[in-house]
Amino acid sequence: MIHEQRRADAEGGAEVAYYPGGRYAYRTTWRAGVDPAPNVALRFEGVQGDSTVSVNGTPVGTLRSGYTEFELSITDHVLWGQDNEVLVDVDNSAQPASRWYPGSGLYRAVSLVFRPAVHFAADGLQLRTKATSNEAAIVEVEYVLVNADAHDTQVVIELSHEGQVVAAGAGGGSTGAVALRIDHPHVWSAETPHLYELAARLELDGSVADERREMVGLRTISVDTHYGLRINGTTVLLRGACIHHDNGVLGAATHRAAEYRRVRLLKAAGFNAIRSAHNPMSRHLLDACDELGMYVLDELADYWVVPKTKHDASWRFRDTWREDADRMVEKDRNRPSVIMYAAGNEIPETATAEGVALTREITEYLHSIDPDRPVTLATNLFLSTLVSMDKSPYKDSPSVEGESSIAGSTEANVMINQIGRMMDLVSRLPRADRATRDAFAAVDVAGYNYGLGRYKGDTRRYPERVILGSETLPGDVARAWHLVQENPAVIGDFVWAGWEYLGEAGVAVWVPGKRAGLAKPFPYLIAGPGMFDLIGQPDITLRLAQAAWGCLDAPAIGVRPVDRSGVAMVRSAWRATDAVESWSWRGCEGRKADVEVYSADDHVALFLNGRRIARRRAGRKQGYLAKFTVPYEPGNLTAIGYRNGSEVSRTELRSASGELGLRVTSSAGTVIADGADLLFADLAITDRSGVVEMLADEQVVLDVTGPGELIGFGTAAPASEEAFTGNTRTTFRGRALAVIRPTGKPGLITVSARSQTLGAADLVVEAIVTGSLEESTDLAAGALTS
C-alpha cells in the first residue's frame, strides 16, 4: 500500500490516509532438496487482504485477517529436487478495512517450515512459571507431540542461562508436563529482562527426532485491588504507550530492526508498557519487548459483530474469533513481556445484553487457553453511554453485508473532539456506569478509555474492580498518573498515542482557521497525537508525561511555531499543544513567541539572551507547566528550575546561526549485512554546531551506493503529497529520515544527500559479517520474498 499513489478520492478516505487498496500477486521460486521432508508448511505471520495461496498451480489454502497467523501444509504439492512456484494472490481492494492505515499484502514474515514425521506441534511448548523467590523458581513445561501415539517417545526439557544448563527433566507420551526447579533464579521484569533458553528434545526409539529452542522468561503475574498488578510479587505501575502497527516511512512492513528501535526509544523515554492498538502484535515486536524489557497488553480486535468501517469483516467475527484468539495466545504464551490480553477495543455492543454475553464468552475462552494472564476490555464510557441511549448524532454506516452500525469509535471520537472535557463529565454520569458495569464484571481488569473522572468513585462503588487506564489523552497524562499512584486498584495508564501513525488523517493535528472537522482533507496523512513523531523524534507532549513520572531531570522548553504567531488555530482534544522544542525560527524576529516550560521543579525562570523574562510557578500543582510570552529574537532561550529557592536544573535552546547546511548522521557505527538489519539515517538542516533550523526546509535528493538499498524516505509532515518510496523528499522542520536495508554483502554503504542551496552531505557506514550471518542466510533461503 505504501507504494500506491494517494489520492483525494480514495475510497478509504482519511481513515487509511487516502491510500487506495489493491490486488497484489506475490511469486517466488523455491528449489527443493532431493530428499523429501515428511511435513512442509508455509507460515504467514500477517497478510493484509483476503488471499489464496497456490503451489505449482494448485491452491493449497486461503488467508484472512491481517493480524492472524496461518500455517498451510504443502507437503503433497512439493516437487522434490525441482523448482517450485509459490503464488500468493492478495485482494485488499475493499477499503476502508480498518480505522487506520492497514497496509497491504505480505507485510509480516513468510517462512517455510520443515518438520519430521513425529514432531512437536506448532507452538507446542508452553512454559508456565508457578512460583518465584530469591531461592528458587518452579516452572512447568507442557508439550504436545504429533504422530507420536505409536512410538516410544521421550521428551527432554532443558533450561539454560548464559550457556549453562540450570534445570532439566524428561517426560513421555504424546502430551505431558515436566516440572523444573531453578535455584537462585534470574526473574524477568521490564526492569531486569533476564531470558533463559528453553530447549525441548524429542527422542524417538533412542535417537533425536525433533528439537525446539526458544527464549523464555521466569515471571509470575497477579492482579487485585489491594496490591494492584504484581510481577514476581512486586507491585508494578504501568506507564503505557498505545501504538499502531505501522512503522512510519516504512508503511506497515514489520522489520525486526524497526521494532527494536521503537521499543528502545520508548523505554529510554520512560515508558514500561505497550498496548497494541488494536490487534495482535508481530513476533518481531514481541521479541524486542522480551529482550529489552517492556510489558505488553496484546489486543484481539477493534470490532466484534457491529461494523466500524464498511469492510472490517465484522460479519464473520462470530465464526472466526476463536481461531484468532488461539493464534494470538499460541504466539504469546511463552512471552514474558505479555502480561495481559484485551478482548476488544471500544466495542459498542458491550453496552447491550448480547454484547455482555459475548464479553463473558471471549474472556472465559481466553482463560481456558491461557489461565495465567488476566483479560481486560478497553471501553469508551462515552460511547457506551450513547449506545445505551440508542442515540448517535451521526448516520449509520452500512457494512459490506448491509448491516447497520450503532455508534462506533469514530462517531464517539468526533463527539469527543467537539465537546472536549464534556466527555469527562459524561463518563461520571450514572448512565455511564449502568452502560459499562456488566461488561466490566465479565473481565479481570476494567479498561477505561477516557474515563479518568470515574476512577475514585468506582474504586469505592466496586471494591473488587481492578481498573486500567487503557486510553488517555496526552494532556491528561499527568492527572492520570497521579490517580494511578494514589489508588492501588488503578494499575496503570496508556496514553493515546505513544508513537505517531498513518491514517485517521489529521484527527490530532492543529490547523489554521476557525472550524475544521475531525478528519482532515487530502493530503493529510498522519493522525497527529504521537509522543514520538513519525520519524522517531520526541514530541514536547512527552515531557509532560516525564515530569509526572519523575524522570524529567531539567525543564523542557516548548515553543509554539513562531511563523504562525497570531494565527487562529483549530485545536484537537488529542493534542494538548502544537509547541516544539526549538528556538530557531529564521525570519520571525519581533513576532510574539508563546513559550511553554514543562518542569517538576517548584518554580521556573525564563531568560532570553541573558535577560530575565519572568519567573513562574511550576511543578505538580501547576500541571508541570509554566507559560511565558516573549518577542522572538535569535540567540539563547534558557529555563532555570528552582526548588526551595535554589537552582537545581537548567535547559537552553539556541538559534541556528550563520551558514546552514545538510547533515546526515546515524547512531549506528555499523550495520549487520544479513538483509534483516536496518540503517536509520537522520537528515537535518543545521548550522555548523548542529542546531536544527525550523524554517529552512528544502527538497533533498538521496543516493545510496554500496551493499544497501533505500526502502523508506520521509518526514513527520502531517500533510504531504511526496511519497515515502522515492529518493526525493522535502524536509519538515529541518528533518527527514532515510531507512536503508543491507543487501546481504559486507562493505561500505554510502548515503549521499544533496540539495539545491544547502549543499551536500555523506554518511558512510560499514555493513559487517557477524558470526550469525551464516545461520541468518540459511534461514533466509527458506523464506519467501515478494
Side-chain angles (χ1 to χ4, degrees):
M1 184 175 277
I2 204 71
H3 294 269
E4 300 284 2
Q5 181 65 47
R6 297 171 65 234
R7 51 177 212 271
D9 63 347
E11 289 187 0
E15 288 182 299
V16 295
Y18 300 100
Y19 280 94
R23 293 196 65 172
Y24 313 89
Y26 294 80
R27 291 182 176 85
T28 193
T29 300
W30 162 53
R31 182 74 176 184
V34 176
D35 298 326
N39 294 281
V40 186
L42 283 168
R43 185 171 70 187
F44 296 85
E45 294 184 17
V47 183
Q48 291 288 359
D50 288 345
S51 310
T52 59
V53 182
S54 301
V55 175
N56 296 323
T58 302
V60 297
T62 60
L63 311 172
R64 55 147 192 88
S65 175
Y67 311 102
T68 300
E69 293 191 357
F70 291 93
E71 192 171 292
L72 303 177
S73 175
I74 63 170
T75 307
D76 297 334
H77 305 281
V78 177
L79 302 175
W80 296 100
Q82 303 180 46
D83 288 337
N84 293 264
E85 184 188 65
V86 181
L87 169 65
V88 183
D89 185 13
V90 182
D91 186 354
N92 200 35
S93 56
Q95 294 296 327
S98 68
R99 297 185 299 112
W100 54 85
Y101 174 87
S104 286
L106 308 184
Y107 79 106
R108 290 181 180 175
V110 185
S111 304
L112 279 166
V113 182
F114 299 86
R115 297 188 178 95
V118 182
H119 57 270
F120 289 102
D123 294 303
L125 292 176
Q126 180 178 7
L127 180 141
R128 300 178 63 188
T129 306
K130 297 295 188 178
T132 62
S133 68
N134 292 332
E135 289 73 30
I138 305 301
V139 304
E140 185 177 80
V141 180
E142 300 175 1
Y143 59 87
V144 178
L145 306 180
V146 177
N147 298 328
D149 290 340
H151 298 273
D152 180 17
T153 60
Q154 179 175 249
V155 174
V156 178
I157 304 294
E158 294 180 343
L159 205 63
S160 300
H161 186 257
E162 298 180 347
Q164 299 294 318
V165 176
V166 296
S174 58
T175 62
V178 177
L180 302 176
R181 174 189 169 97
I182 301 92
D183 292 327
H184 307 295
H186 300 276
V187 295
W188 188 98
S189 70
E191 296 70 33
T192 59
H194 297 293
L195 293 175
Y196 287 75
E197 184 181 54
L198 172 65
R201 186 171 66 250
L202 168 59
E203 296 180 354
L204 186 66
D205 301 325
S207 61
V208 177
D210 195 13
E211 189 172 14
R212 293 287 176 85
R213 293 180 181 272
E214 58 184 290
M215 303 306 294
V216 298
L218 310 182
R219 63 102 185 88
T220 58
I221 306 169
S222 65
V223 63
D224 60 53
T225 57
H226 301 291
Y227 301 101
L229 171 68
R230 285 186 289 178
I231 304 296
N232 303 314
T234 300
T235 297
V236 170
L237 304 181
L238 300 177
R239 303 184 300 275
C242 295
I243 63 172
H244 273 306
H245 70 287
D246 75 76
N247 268 306
V249 303
L250 297 171
T254 304
H255 296 269
R256 184 177 180 87
E259 303 296 13
Y260 272 75
R261 173 179 180 257
R262 178 155 52 166
V263 173
R264 284 192 188 97
L265 289 173
L266 287 169
K267 183 166 185 177
F271 291 99
N272 69 354
I274 291 174
R275 174 187 171 213
S276 64
H278 304 284
N279 42 259
M281 280 188 181
S282 71
R283 288 180 180 257
H284 288 328
L285 184 53
L286 289 169
D287 285 345
C289 293
D290 283 346
E291 184 177 330
L292 302 178
M294 188 72 78
Y295 298 115
V296 169
L297 193 161
D298 213 2
E299 199 152 272
L300 179 63
D302 185 52
Y303 58 81
W304 288 355
V305 298
V306 172
K308 290 185 177 180
T309 60
K310 187 175 182 180
H311 301 285
D312 62 12
S314 54
W315 57 273
R316 65 187 179 197
F317 180 81
R318 289 190 184 277
D319 298 325
T320 60
W321 71 260
R322 288 177 180 81
E323 183 180 25
D324 293 343
D326 286 341
R327 298 293 87 78
M328 178 179 72
V329 170
E330 288 168 359
K331 169 177 59 67
D332 290 358
R333 63 187 181 185
N334 284 349
R335 303 280 188 171
S337 59
V338 180
I339 60 169
M340 195 180 309
Y341 299 119
N345 172 68
E346 297 188 346
I347 305 299
E349 58 265 40
T350 57
T352 69
E354 294 80 7
V356 171
L358 187 52
T359 302
R360 188 174 296 107
E361 186 178 0
I362 293 174
T363 301
E364 290 175 352
Y365 187 78
L366 287 170
H367 285 161
S368 71
I369 56 179
D370 188 345
D372 297 329
R373 290 178 173 89
V375 176
T376 188
L377 179 71
T379 300
N380 186 312
L381 287 89
F382 182 74
L383 165 61
S384 295
T385 304
L386 289 179
V387 174
S388 71
M389 299 168 63
D390 197 26
K391 291 181 180 294
S392 172
Y394 299 92
K395 294 181 180 179
D396 293 341
S397 300
S399 74
V400 70
E401 296 298 303
E403 298 178 1
S404 292
S405 170
I406 57 181
S409 295
T410 299
E411 285 81 359
N413 290 342
V414 169
M415 289 291 294
I416 290 170
N417 196 54
Q418 289 179 342
I419 66 176
R421 293 299 175 187
M422 279 297 294
M423 67 174 175
D424 191 26
L425 298 177
V426 170
S427 73
R428 300 170 188 259
L429 297 176
R431 182 178 285 275
D433 180 30
R434 293 194 297 271
T436 56
R437 62 190 179 192
D438 292 340
F440 282 155
V443 294
D444 305 301
V445 176
Y448 286 46
N449 285 12
Y450 314 112
L452 304 184
R454 294 206 67 89
Y455 286 7
K456 288 186 177 179
D458 283 359
T459 57
R460 292 191 299 268
R461 276 184 289 270
Y462 302 100
E464 298 305 315
R465 178 183 291 181
V466 178
I467 296 173
L468 173 68
S470 43
E471 209 161 298
T472 298
L473 296 173
D476 286 340
V477 66
R479 175 182 165 215
W481 183 246
H482 295 311
L483 288 170
V484 170
Q485 291 179 310
E486 294 162 3
N487 297 276
V490 184
I491 64 174
D493 178 70
F494 286 81
V495 67
W496 190 271
W499 199 279
E500 193 52 72
Y501 60 97
L502 301 171
E504 293 191 297
V507 297
V509 178
W510 288 24
V511 295
K514 295 183 178 180
R515 297 186 63 183
L518 178 71
K520 304 305 186 295
F522 180 85
Y524 281 89
L525 76 163
I526 68 167
M531 285 189 170
F532 280 88
D533 70 16
L534 205 68
I535 63 174
Q537 294 294 323
D539 185 84
I540 190 64
T541 55
L542 172 64
R543 308 312 179 191
L544 174 61
Q546 291 175 326
W549 295 338
C551 58
L552 188 64
D553 296 330
I557 307 172
V559 181
R560 296 195 59 207
V562 185
D563 58 323
R564 289 182 170 180
S565 178
V567 176
M569 302 293 289
V570 180
R571 306 187 178 200
S572 167
W574 282 274
R575 173 156 287 279
T577 180
D578 61 351
V580 296
E581 293 180 90
S582 175
W583 190 245
S584 194
W585 305 88
R586 289 199 171 190
C588 293
E589 287 79 356
R591 302 187 70 173
K592 183 182 75 171
D594 293 320
V595 179
E596 302 172 353
V597 179
Y598 295 84
S599 175
D601 298 328
D602 301 333
H603 293 83
V604 171
L606 190 70
F607 293 79
L608 177 57
N609 292 325
R611 305 190 311 273
R612 175 169 161 163
I613 303 302
R615 177 167 167 159
R616 301 271 192 271
R617 291 184 181 274
R620 177 173 176 175
K621 291 184 178 180
Q622 303 300 316
Y624 303 102
L625 174 61
K627 293 186 177 182
F628 305 83
T629 300
V630 59
Y632 177 75
E633 64 179 61
N636 299 334
L637 187 68
T638 305
I640 300 178
Y642 297 88
R643 295 192 182 188
N644 298 320
S646 300
E647 178 183 338
V648 294
S649 62
R650 67 169 57 201
T651 298
E652 181 178 271
L653 295 179
R654 293 189 294 114
S655 304
S657 60
E659 183 180 356
L660 298 176
L662 280 178
R663 174 176 292 199
V664 186
T665 59
S666 175
S667 60
T670 60
V671 62
I672 300 174
D674 63 356
D677 200 4
L678 296 176
L679 169 65
F680 294 90
D682 295 303
L683 282 75
I685 297 172
T686 76
D687 65 8
R688 291 185 181 274
S689 61
V691 177
V692 177
E693 170 56 46
M694 295 287 101
L695 299 178
D697 289 315
E698 190 165 304
Q699 192 175 77
V700 177
V701 178
L702 207 66
D703 290 314
V704 177
T705 57
E709 59 178 343
L710 180 67
I711 62 170
F713 186 26
T715 72
S720 175
E721 295 190 52
E722 296 177 313
F724 295 114
T725 54
N727 71 332
T728 303
R729 188 79 191 208
T730 302
T731 59
F732 174 70
R733 289 181 175 161
R735 295 183 184 275
L737 175 70
V739 186
I740 295 92
R741 175 169 54 194
T743 55
K745 295 181 179 179
L748 297 180
I749 299 174
T750 301
V751 182
S752 299
R754 64 183 187 275
S755 64
Q756 186 172 355
T757 66
L758 297 171
D762 292 339
L763 170 69
V764 180
V765 174
E766 184 180 9
I768 62 172
V769 176
T770 68
S772 61
L773 178 60
E774 182 178 353
E775 178 184 356
S776 299
T777 305
D778 289 342
L779 292 173
L784 291 177
T785 56
S786 63

